[in-house]
Amino acid sequence: VRYLASGELAALLDPSEVEGHDTKWVKREIYEHIGASRFRQRLFHEDGREIPDNEIFTVLPNKLQLVVLDFWPPDVEEDMQLILATR
């Protein structure tokens, strides 16, 4: 698994362990290597198609590409507006 932007190796997974598991399982394995939760990870095939979380790997592709999303910082003012709007 390589980072999409840099091509740097993020994790090396054993194909025999991945076969039969879904993308969520693979993301949990990647978490052990990079520390980013599966909710922040997006996996892509080499051709750029995103791999959905429920896809089962019958065979591990030679290369997977990874994008790690940043958290959007909270906006206190926007949060207060939302709270006031619900009253």
Side-chain angles (χ1 to χ4, degrees), residues 12 15 20 35 43 50 74-75 80:
L12 190 58
L43 288 176
E50 185 172 357
D75 182 331
M80 287 305 297

Side-chain angles (χ1 to χ4, degrees), residues 49-69:
R49 290 179 295 122
E50 185 172 357
I51 303 171
D53 280 349
N54 62 352
E55 184 169 315
I56 304 292
F57 288 95
T58 54
V59 175
L60 182 65
N62 287 335
K63 293 179 185 174
L64 293 176
Q65 298 176 332
L66 173 68
V67 171
V68 178
L69 305 174

Side-chain angles (χ1 to χ4, degrees), residues 2-33:
R2 295 190 176 274
Y3 289 104
L4 182 62
S6 69
E8 178 186 348
L9 186 65
L12 190 58
L13 304 175
D14 182 352
S16 65
E17 291 181 9
V18 173
E19 287 180 20
H21 292 312
D22 63 8
T23 305
K24 284 191 235 180
W25 185 91
V26 172
K27 288 179 177 182
R28 285 191 289 270
E29 289 297 304
I30 293 170
Y31 168 79
E32 298 297 324
H33 296 271

Side-chain angles (χ1 to χ4, degrees), residues 3 36-37 39-42 67-74:
Y3 289 104
S37 76
F39 301 104
R40 294 181 52 213
Q41 299 175 35
R42 298 295 180 269
V67 171
V68 178
L69 305 174
D70 286 330
F71 284 114
W72 193 259

Side-chain angles (χ1 to χ4, degrees), residues 76-87:
V76 176
E77 185 177 324
E78 190 176 274
D79 291 349
M80 287 305 297
Q81 289 175 354
L82 181 62
I83 291 169
L84 292 173
T86 60
R87 292 182 178 174

